[in-house]
Amino acid sequence: DFDHVLEALLNTSMDIDSLEPDTVLEERWVKEVLTRSGMKFRSAKLYETRERPNRDTHRRPPADPANLRPRPPVVTIMGHVDHGKTTLLDSLRKSQIVSTEHGGITQHIGAFLVKLPTGEKITFLDTPGHAAFSSMRARGANATDIVILVVAADDGVMNQTVESIQHAKNAKVPIIVAVNKCDKPQADPQRVKQELLAYDVVCEEFGGDVQAIHVSALKGDNLMALAEATVALAEVMEVKAEPSGLVEGLIIESRTDKGKGPLSTVIIQRGTLKRGCVLVAGKSWAKVRFLFDENGQTLKEAGPSVAVEVVGWKDLPSAGELLLEVESEQRAREVVDWRTYEEEQEKLREEQSAIEQKQKLHLDEYKKEREKLSSLGWRKRKAAIYQANKLKYAMRDSEKMQSSEPQLPLVIKGDVDGSVEAILNILDSYDAEEQCQLHVLHFGIGDVSENDVNMADTFRGSIYGFNVKASKSIVQLAEQRGVPLKLHNIIYKMVDELKEELSSKLPPDV
Ligand code: GDP
């Protein structure tokens, strides 16, 4: 019965030849065995994953409320094209240049800090469009506390205005409306606020809680009122963070600077970043050499909500990636290694399902072969045993594959039973005395077939044929798949070549 046969095949100590040949040809266990053998071979590394302790690093649990301190809100400006986002950002930035003693050139680093005369601060993200906002949202990260929605008073609510509202609502980020271009004679701020009602943005004068400030980004009118409204909202929201402990943050931009090398702008969300800190983000890590603000000034440290340029990355991290501080360089390497390893495992899993696809193909071939065999009448029994032996070999092989010794998977084809057997005997004796493992994936009589190539390809093996042929299309297929295909008419030459290939797989010191 099925279980008995399966048991016999999985337990290679049992002799398959003792089984009734007709049961041997049951399709369901062939399928089972093929799947199991393939799975076993490919899964060796996957099992390893489960046993290895998780070497990744993650955000810390939420801070004790007693350790939270107010921090500046982080603001993203959104709105329809041409409604004045860039102009607003420029005016806000300019308002700062005048007041800094350096008075120099501000660089675009993806964010900048605005200081109010009252001492409060706001961090503005100025990555063009919603790009930063969207890519971070896509990664489940959110750096923004408040969205300032710019709506031109002469144009009203447009489709990107609606999109921006949607983005903010999905991210559960509150909105402040900047009714812009109020300096224009045709400006109609009232209409803007009325139109917003349709999108559930209810301004204060309609009984809602959304602040709307009438501004002119171009002339700089009322920008202070906009900033004050932002600070007031942040206070209501109780925007806070823990300034101590391991740093957590987000990458908002990355670039390579000619002088400074790989750079990223990060926004700190927790802890205080200092020179010498070791950081990981995605599969990159850094030992912080320098911190720069948007004025190109070096900073000693950067606390929550501050955006800083970080110098010291080994590779460039991507925007939107989570930034985490770790205790040591050793730990950073470990985390990066782990993440790289995990990614490889993911690839392996994909490869494995590709192999399973291929195995289905083998089964179809097998069915065809079986139909042919049953028409042969008296030879049926012998053929069945032969097939079962092939499977047994494949099984043994997949087990051997799990060992770390160098391996040479083989498909052997011969003209008659006797020659195949002779080759197998020679190989068996060689196998025993060498440290390289031979794996006969498949052996059989007749010309090299597509199935042979499939099999060798799946297990990255070679095909050796003795006194057999391979059609042009098979030779081509083998070439395409990179499967070595060797045909011989003199047995000792073939065995010599085999031994040579085998020796080439041995480590040089053996
Ligand atoms: P963005 O596409 O939203 O970044 O819009 P821009 O900031 O590039 O502004 C588009 C146009 O509107 C530019 O020609 C600006 O000079 C103009 N603009 C922006 N803000 C104002 C404003 O407050 N008043 C007036 N009159 N024009 C403005």
Side-chain angles (χ1 to χ4, degrees):
D1 66 311
F2 175 60
D3 288 331
H4 178 57
V5 174
L6 196 60
E7 176 72 45
L9 276 162
L10 293 175
N11 179 0
T12 47
S13 67
M14 273 183 81
D15 191 2
I16 201 83
D17 291 315
S18 68
L19 292 167
E20 274 304 306
D22 288 331
T23 34
V24 171
L25 278 174
E26 277 289 336
E27 183 188 309
R28 54 205 171 118
W29 63 254
V30 172
K31 192 171 185 173
E32 181 83 0
V33 168
L34 279 177
T35 314
R36 284 205 196 182
S37 63
M39 292 286 287
K40 245 181 167 175
F41 158 51
R42 297 305 293 182
S43 310
K45 273 199 162 173
L46 299 181
Y47 289 141
E48 219 180 290
T49 318
R50 271 181 234 133
E51 283 155 21
R52 272 177 69 157
N54 191 340
R55 295 256 165 253
D56 211 343
T57 186
H58 304 275
R59 279 188 192 270
R60 284 179 288 144
D64 179 346
N67 296 337
L68 294 176
R69 300 286 174 273
R71 61 172 174 86
V74 178
V75 175
T76 299
I77 295 182
M78 297 176 98
H80 194 70
V81 65
D82 277 349
H83 279 197
K85 298 181 290 291
T86 316
T87 311
L88 179 59
L89 282 165
D90 285 347
S91 300
L92 286 164
R93 211 188 326 245
K94 261 185 231 146
S95 73
Q96 293 303 298
I97 295 173
V98 182
S99 65
T100 61
E101 64 256 41
H102 314 294
I105 322 124
T106 37
Q107 291 170 326
H108 171 88
I109 69 162
F112 62 93
L113 197 71
V114 166
K115 276 182 210 151
L116 275 69
T118 50
E120 277 119 338
K121 295 170 188 169
I122 305 170
T123 295
F124 284 94
L125 297 184
D126 68 350
T127 311
H130 326 155
F133 196 80
S134 307
S135 78
M136 287 198 198
R137 286 289 304 152
R139 288 167 191 261
N142 188 15
T144 305
D145 299 304
I146 295 169
V147 163
I148 290 185
L149 181 68
V150 177
V151 191
D154 60 340
D155 204 19
V157 172
M158 303 300 283
N159 50 7
Q160 281 168 289
T161 315
V162 177
E163 266 175 41
S164 305
I165 295 170
Q166 232 72 61
H167 271 299
K169 292 210 162 170
N170 290 343
K172 297 194 171 61
V173 174
I175 291 171
I176 292 177
V177 181
V179 186
N180 193 29
K181 306 200 187 181
C182 284
D183 59 295
K184 282 195 163 183
Q186 65 272 46
D188 188 354
Q190 226 41 43
R191 200 190 93 205
V192 170
K193 286 181 268 185
Q194 232 146 18
E195 284 173 352
L196 285 171
L197 285 173
Y199 303 96
D200 218 17
V201 176
V202 187
C203 297
E204 281 166 338
E205 56 191 283
F206 293 106
D209 56 6
V210 177
Q211 306 181 79
I213 316 295
H214 300 189
V215 300
S216 166
L218 194 65
K219 303 214 156 141
D221 296 345
N222 235 9
L223 296 192
M224 209 35 70
L226 182 63
E228 278 161 8
T230 309
V231 168
L233 178 58
E235 244 166 64
V236 175
M237 291 165 67
E238 297 194 55
V239 173
K240 286 179 176 177
E242 185 185 28
S244 58
L246 292 176
V247 172
E248 294 176 13
L250 286 174
I251 308 288
I252 57 173
E253 265 189 31
S254 276
R255 67 189 172 90
T256 301
D257 181 273
K258 270 183 207 144
K260 301 175 194 161
L263 279 180
S264 70
T265 302
V266 310
I267 187 132
I268 310 300
Q269 296 181 307
R270 196 171 177 183
T272 301
L273 185 60
K274 301 184 182 79
R275 285 175 61 174
C277 280
V278 182
L279 304 170
V280 290
K283 295 200 291 318
S284 328
W285 70 278
K287 179 163 178 142
V288 180
R289 287 203 285 130
F290 295 104
L291 298 172
F292 292 102
D293 67 7
E294 68 268 22
N295 299 312
Q297 301 299 311
T298 53
L299 296 176
K300 279 212 179 91
E301 54 175 50
S305 293
V306 175
V308 274
E309 263 191 338
V310 173
V311 180
W313 291 99
K314 310 295 162 194
D315 300 298
L316 270 184
S318 312
E321 246 154 6
L322 183 61
L323 175 92
L324 295 167
E325 183 185 356
V326 293
E327 313 85 61
S328 62
E329 289 183 40
Q330 163 66 27
R331 178 82 183 109
R333 282 197 199 94
E334 196 175 72
V335 172
V336 169
D337 278 355
W338 168 262
R339 290 178 179 177
T340 311
Y341 172 80
E342 280 286 86
E343 204 179 80
E344 277 168 13
Q345 290 299 307
E346 190 46 47
K347 268 192 219 140
L348 236 137
R349 269 171 226 135
E350 278 163 23
E351 261 177 45
Q352 160 134 13
S353 58
I355 284 176
E356 277 161 29
Q357 281 305 112
K358 279 188 182 173
Q359 283 178 339
K360 272 190 204 133
L361 218 148
H362 288 172
L363 190 67
D364 289 342
E365 300 253 346
Y366 179 81
K367 268 202 267 178
K368 269 188 236 151
E369 217 170 313
R370 184 189 138 179
E371 274 159 27
K372 257 188 269 162
L373 286 169
S374 45
S375 67
L376 291 177
W378 64 270
R379 288 191 62 188
K380 188 175 169 187
R381 189 176 182 276
K382 191 167 185 266
I385 292 169
Y386 195 71
Q387 287 297 333
N389 271 325
K390 281 192 196 174
L391 278 169
K392 190 167 76 172
Y393 256 102
M395 280 294 311
R396 274 190 193 155
D397 222 69
S398 68
E399 269 158 25
K400 280 200 214 165
M401 287 270 184
Q402 289 175 38
S403 83
S404 55
E405 283 174 58
Q407 295 153 350
L408 180 59
L410 293 174
V411 171
I412 309 240
K413 296 301 285 270
D415 54 344
V416 288
D417 253 336
S419 63
V420 173
E421 221 159 274
I423 295 163
L424 291 177
N425 283 339
I426 295 171
L427 293 179
D428 262 355
S429 59
Y430 191 71
D431 194 13
E433 75 198 35
E434 286 299 333
Q435 311 219 355
C436 177
Q437 293 199 341
L438 272 175
H439 298 288
V440 183
L441 299 170
H442 176 81
F443 63 88
I445 299 160
D447 289 346
V448 180
S449 70
E450 195 183 322
N451 190 30
D452 299 332
V453 180
N454 281 339
M455 182 81 97
D457 182 24
T458 305
F459 293 94
R460 301 197 184 87
S462 313
I463 303 172
Y464 280 79
F466 176 70
N467 268 347
V468 294
K469 280 177 277 180
S471 71
K472 230 182 189 175
S473 65
I474 292 296
V475 173
Q476 267 172 1
L477 183 69
E479 258 167 29
Q480 265 170 27
R481 307 260 190 96
V483 172
L485 169 57
K486 285 150 191 177
L487 302 177
H488 288 269
N489 296 319
I490 301 168
I491 206 151
Y492 74 83
K493 279 203 176 160
M494 174 164 155
V495 172
D496 276 353
E497 189 173 1
L498 249 167
K499 285 184 179 175
E500 206 173 288
E501 193 178 344
L502 201 51
S503 308
S504 74
K505 302 250 167 173
L506 293 174
D509 56 336
V510 172

